Amino acid sequence: MHRTPRPRLRGPAAALAAAALLGGVLTGGATAQAAPRTDGRLTDLVNPFIGTQNEGNTYPGASVPFGMVQLSPDTGHNTGYDYGENHIRGFSAVHLSGVGCGLGGDLPTLPTTGDVTETDYAKYAAEFSHDDEKASPGYYKVGLKTGIGAELTATQRTGVQRYTFPATDKANVLLNAGQSLHRTLSSEVEILDSRTVRTAITGSGFCQDTKPYTVYTVTHFDRPFTTSGTWNGDTVTEGSRKSSATDARNGAWLRFDTSKDRTVEATTALSYVDAEGAALNLRAEGGRSFDRVERAAQRTWEDRLEGVKAQGGSDELRRTFYSSLYRSFLAPNVGSDVDGRYTGWDQKTHRGKGFTYYQNWSLWDTYRTQAQLLSLLAPRESRDMAISVLRIDAESGWLPKWGYGTVETNIMTGDPVTPFLTNAYQQGLLKGYEEQAYRALKKNADGVPAADSAPVGREANVEYLKDGFAPYIKDRQHAKPGDSDYDHGASATLEYALSDGMLAEMARDLGHDADAARYDARAQNYRKIFDPSTGFFRARDASGAFTGPADPAESEGFHEGTSWQYQWMVPQDIPGMVDLIGGKDAANQRLDSFFAYDKLLDDPARTAREVWVNGPYAYYNADKYNPQNEPDLIAPYTYLSTGQPWKTTDVVHAALTLFTNGPTGMTGNDDLGTMSAWMVLSSIGVFPVQPGTDTWGLSTPAFERVDIKLDRRYYPRGSLTVSAPGASDTDRYIQSARLDGAKQSRTYLTTDDIRSARSLSFTVGSEPSAWGTAPEDAPPALG
């Protein structure tokens, strides 16, 4: 909505105006409309359709927290579901929330009526309307215009479907083994008996071709089918019980008589190990009615969401908050069967003893927000996730970068696994594994994987260790599938240096002092790509010369961003970066320009939507803050280090307005919960400003009170309450803070603070105060 221009305000008056505007967006609705009932279900606040349009790439279907199965409709979009499309090709069993390229979509299943003549799911897809569609955590329902109703729910390793057909003797269920969201290399289907179908599906690809993986399924129906058959290519064969295909359409169809009993239920179990594993998972988690499974899934989600109880705020804010919290628990995913077996990255079968094996690692994204949120809210699962990453190293010889299922994709750049694992260490999740983790990280930080291994690791490490920077080599031929650090030498240098800083902290804690000193020195390598002539970071070629455009609004040498955006990604040494660009005054001027701060004061929501965001996939948007993508996630918190912490609140709360309760209400790809976790943490007012350490930056919460339930095994107090009594549209700036009643002048907490405290309380007011503005109040540089 266009706002009438008004006089520009300065100083305290400007701060008051910004507080009023931001507060009105975030909390003013609490008085304008009734808040949801406090005794209602939190799952009722979740909208799984958020992010299903404008490339949020989320899915609306059924799953349980961290479940192996994500049973959801596919409409033709390359990552599964797009709200703007109106045909469903099938309900497939594997999805990842918010990925940027086609992945999963295995075994799309669709109910039909009549003769089976088409074998391409793009042709036999069923039309539907959103008016006949509903979703909530663990449940999805849609009415197809063929007259068939479909419902989905899930357990950890199974997906359960219930189809309500019209009265007919030709009600079909199509199990498509030969088509998916990525390339299906080969498939096998076998009808075992009058109720059961087994498949093996081998697929490959995620943005580029990768090594293949195989998923095994067993689908069991609650009633026998009257007849069945298979298809191979265009050929449909009634009575056939087996079919296999290479890079071609392939599937099975089952027919039911629904003249009297119109419902058909089916349970599909997955395994990434073998057919026996899928059968074991089916026996362990199958055998229950759809209604029982749906109720159990809803209870599971309610228990998860009850770990964070937020009070105050508008209905819109509460709905987007709990929807974001929901998405934060969708990945990583269980990869082991009920007997503990899993397929390792060496493609051999292993058995997890004393832990659950997890897979699907979007580490370039999740190390910045989601890993930290899970360490707070799901520490037991987070510990098993970290152990799973260590198993990848033990079994394949190297740590992962972006792992899907049982393979490495090498998507994205830098060294994201280091801050992921050092975070687990700093949060106390690696007890008993500290030295194993350190050895794996040291190998990763000091070397490069062998040429015949799948991972690329720190691909440019030879040059980085020799010269202090990763060279930018344009159009370099890739030796392995995936992204190349050489293609993004400038940002890869910053990522390596960040990881070195985090590893130095771990080395120091474990008594590896010589290593700590070495990594501390390498953490300063961000200085090697600083160009004094421009005052910004810049790519350097193999000879050491600065290369590419001198304009920092250009993106050459930086991955999904520009030098303007990457300049703040030095969390290991913000004071040093500030000194490089001329001190705090210069840094604040540059930050204000970066965030369009003057415009933000006039209209925060419009600035966020029209100045910061240029489109759903605009990752290279010149010289402004991009809240849609990972390189800028920490940037608003830079003001904590430049003596102006109230501006962090202004920027963060403006960015929060981008999360809305609708299909377009996601900022960019969710990337397995990364953006959702940013929303949750920023709304609570406690954010991991130095990912990979135990430092949490503070800003004004978006709620008056948030009660967080913590696992006493890791957090002895068992809970933490974050409160800002009286927070409103005019009273939004921190005047003072107290931790368990003791004065808290620092703009950050440590994990030990969280472990030892029960309450963090803020006094808020209408104007910025001196709180947190002293140099010693800022998050410290590492080392």
Side-chain angles (χ1 to χ4, degrees):
M1 179 179 68
H2 179 71
R3 289 181 181 267
T4 302
R6 56 192 177 83
R8 179 62 53 85
L9 303 177
R10 299 289 181 186
L16 176 61
L21 285 166
L22 295 172
V25 170
L26 290 166
T27 62
T31 56
Q33 55 185 300
R37 290 176 54 186
T38 56
D39 60 348
R41 299 190 309 183
L42 295 176
T43 47
D44 291 339
L45 298 176
V46 174
N47 180 1
F49 292 105
I50 292 175
T52 58
Q53 198 168 6
N54 279 6
E55 306 302 331
N57 295 349
T58 58
Y59 62 84
S63 64
V64 295
F66 314 121
M68 181 184 290
V69 171
Q70 309 85 33
L71 187 59
S72 190
D74 296 328
T75 63
H77 189 270
N78 72 315
T79 65
Y81 182 95
D82 187 293
Y83 196 84
E85 297 171 345
N86 65 353
H87 283 75
I88 291 175
R89 298 180 174 188
F91 306 101
S92 62
V94 178
H95 296 84
L96 291 180
S97 183
V99 294
C101 299
L103 190 61
D106 298 295
L107 197 65
T109 302
L110 191 72
T112 67
T113 57
D115 294 328
V116 177
T117 57
E118 292 287 355
T119 64
D120 183 347
Y121 65 4
K123 294 181 179 179
Y124 65 66
E127 189 177 359
F128 75 104
S129 167
H130 297 305
D131 293 337
D132 297 319
E133 193 179 33
K134 176 183 177 182
S136 61
Y139 178 74
Y140 174 87
K141 179 180 181 179
V142 67
L144 304 176
K145 292 195 173 180
T146 54
I148 303 170
E151 297 172 271
L152 314 176
T153 189
T155 71
Q156 196 167 76
R157 297 175 178 86
T158 75
V160 185
Q161 306 118 72
R162 178 164 64 191
Y163 301 125
T164 302
F165 289 92
T168 177
D169 61 356
K170 289 185 177 181
N172 313 307
V173 177
L174 311 184
L175 301 182
N176 189 335
Q179 293 181 291
S180 64
L181 298 177
H182 51 195
R183 182 183 176 191
T184 301
L185 300 177
S186 64
S187 63
E188 299 175 6
V189 297
E190 181 178 5
I191 300 173
L192 299 179
D193 56 42
S194 63
R195 294 175 182 244
T196 314
V197 181
R198 181 169 64 195
T199 75
I201 301 167
T202 299
S204 173
F206 173 44
C207 301
Q208 303 180 43
D209 283 338
T210 61
K211 285 192 173 183
Y213 74 95
T214 300
V215 60
Y216 302 86
T217 81
V218 176
T219 301
H220 186 76
F221 291 85
D222 69 335
R223 55 189 286 197
F225 22 89
T226 57
T227 188
S228 61
T230 66
W231 72 81
N232 196 304
D234 292 320
T235 303
V236 179
T237 307
E238 184 172 357
S240 169
R241 301 180 68 87
K242 290 185 178 181
S243 181
S244 60
T246 300
D247 205 14
R249 298 192 301 278
N250 189 38
W253 55 274
L254 310 316
R255 177 162 294 163
F256 302 86
D257 187 339
T258 58
S259 300
K260 296 181 179 179
D261 183 357
R262 294 177 56 198
T263 63
V264 175
E265 294 186 11
T267 301
T268 299
L270 300 190
S271 171
Y272 287 84
V273 179
D274 53 25
E276 179 185 356
L280 285 172
N281 294 340
L282 181 65
R283 284 198 291 272
E285 299 183 15
R288 293 179 291 165
S289 70
F290 182 95
D291 289 332
R292 286 186 61 192
V293 174
E294 191 276 325
R295 286 194 298 268
Q298 189 275 327
R299 286 195 303 270
T300 300
W301 277 113
E302 193 70 24
D303 289 344
R304 282 288 175 187
L305 298 179
E306 283 183 345
V308 184
K309 291 191 173 180
Q311 299 179 27
S314 66
D315 178 65
E316 176 90 352
L317 176 61
R318 286 171 56 79
R319 291 184 181 279
T320 56
F321 177 81
Y322 280 104
S323 298
S324 295
L325 185 60
Y326 158 76
R327 290 189 299 272
S328 299
F329 290 124
L330 292 176
N333 305 101
V334 169
S336 52
D337 294 334
V338 292
D339 61 356
R341 293 186 308 147
Y342 64 90
T343 297
W345 283 26
D346 56 0
Q347 304 309 306
K348 298 178 181 178
T349 300
H350 303 271
R351 190 182 300 272
K353 296 180 179 180
F355 76 101
T356 298
Y357 182 79
Y358 288 86
Q359 58 193 24
N360 300 334
W361 305 105
S362 182
L363 294 175
W364 188 82
D365 310 288
T366 60
Y367 87 78
R368 307 164 200 260
T369 58
Q370 195 237 15
Q372 292 83 356
L373 181 63
L374 294 187
S375 72
L376 282 178
L377 303 181
R380 299 189 191 197
E381 292 86 348
S382 294
R383 172 178 167 84
D384 285 357
M385 292 169 188
I387 293 171
S388 300
V389 168
L390 295 179
R391 294 310 305 161
I392 292 173
D393 173 74
E395 291 153 10
S396 71
W398 213 263
L399 289 167
K401 178 169 284 189
W402 210 120
Y404 174 60
T406 64
V407 299
E408 172 67 88
T409 71
N410 291 319
I411 293 300
M412 306 314 295
T413 49
D415 178 19
V417 72
T418 293
F420 173 82
L421 280 176
T422 61
N423 171 72
Y425 166 74
Q426 296 290 356
Q427 310 308 330
L429 305 179
L430 286 179
K431 292 188 184 302
Y433 289 85
E434 296 94 338
E435 288 296 339
Q436 179 184 344
Y438 180 73
R439 288 192 300 271
L441 288 169
K442 180 178 179 180
K443 176 178 63 178
N444 175 75
D446 293 344
V448 179
D452 61 353
S453 66
V456 297
R458 289 194 184 195
E459 184 186 16
N461 219 17
V462 171
E463 295 89 340
Y464 175 80
L465 297 181
K466 174 177 173 286
D467 302 320
F469 64 90
Y472 168 54
I473 304 177
K474 190 173 183 178
D475 298 326
R476 177 185 171 96
Q477 293 296 312
H478 304 314
K480 301 177 182 180
D483 292 311
S484 171
D485 289 348
Y486 291 108
D487 283 342
H488 312 282
S491 57
T493 298
L494 296 175
E495 300 261 17
Y496 290 3
L498 180 156
S499 294
D500 285 334
M502 307 313 166
L503 187 54
E505 292 290 294
M506 183 177 181
R508 191 163 20 255
D509 285 351
L510 295 176
H512 302 293
D513 293 339
D515 284 350
R518 184 161 54 88
Y519 294 133
D520 273 334
R522 281 166 38 178
Q524 296 294 309
N525 280 340
Y526 70 90
R527 298 172 181 270
K528 297 289 181 67
I529 62 166
F530 184 77
D531 183 353
S533 70
T534 65
F536 285 86
F537 296 129
R538 193 175 172 195
R540 297 175 69 173
D541 63 21
S543 72
F546 287 110
T547 186
D551 184 352
E554 298 291 334
S555 61
E556 196 161 3
F558 294 87
H559 203 172
E560 294 190 357
T562 67
S563 183
W564 261 101
Q565 292 155 357
Y566 270 94
Q567 68 185 310
W568 316 113
M569 209 186 74
V570 191
Q572 73 275 20
D573 186 21
I574 290 293
M577 183 274 293
V578 167
D579 286 344
L580 271 183
I581 60 178
K584 288 185 179 180
D585 288 344
N588 282 324
Q589 289 177 18
R590 190 175 289 188
L591 283 165
D592 289 350
S593 173
F594 181 62
F595 292 115
Y597 191 71
D598 284 349
K599 292 182 179 179
L600 183 151
L601 292 185
D602 280 345
D603 193 333
R606 185 174 181 180
T607 299
R609 201 159 293 279
E610 297 183 7
V611 178
W612 295 348
V613 174
N614 296 323
Y617 230 30
Y619 287 167
Y620 300 89
N621 67 338
D623 64 341
K624 293 296 182 283
Y625 171 50
N626 187 346
Q628 298 183 109
N629 207 32
E630 282 72 17
D632 280 359
L633 290 183
I634 307 172
Y637 295 89
T638 307
Y639 283 118
L640 302 184
S641 296
T642 61
Q644 297 184 336
W646 68 89
K647 290 183 178 178
T648 289
T649 291
D650 289 343
V651 174
V652 166
H653 288 179
L656 287 173
T657 66
L658 295 170
F659 292 84
T660 60
N661 185 32
T664 62
M666 170 62 60
T667 58
N669 300 154
D670 197 27
D671 290 320
L672 277 67
T674 299
M675 310 310 286
S676 292
W678 185 94
M679 192 275 177
V680 170
L681 289 162
S682 293
S683 297
I684 293 171
V686 179
F687 188 86
V689 292
Q690 293 175 328
T693 73
D694 63 348
T695 303
W696 304 81
L698 303 178
S699 64
T700 306
F703 296 98
E704 289 193 68
R705 175 172 174 149
V706 180
D707 293 296
I708 305 169
K709 185 187 302 181
L710 300 174
D711 189 327
R712 290 185 181 274
R713 180 182 300 184
Y714 298 93
Y715 303 94
R717 295 283 188 168
S719 65
L720 177 69
T721 296
V722 180
S723 61
S728 68
D729 56 356
T730 56
D731 298 303
R732 297 206 52 81
Y733 292 107
I734 298 172
Q735 307 298 300
S736 63
R738 292 187 178 275
L739 191 66
D740 273 356
K743 183 180 179 181
Q744 168 74 24
S745 62
R746 298 177 310 176
T747 60
Y748 67 96
L749 299 178
T750 66
T751 298
D752 282 343
D753 292 330
I754 295 174
R755 290 195 183 105
S756 62
R758 288 189 183 276
S759 67
L760 170 65
S761 60
F762 297 100
T763 300
V764 295
S766 60
E767 297 184 6
S769 71
W771 178 83
T773 58
E776 61 270 20
D777 295 335
L782 303 185

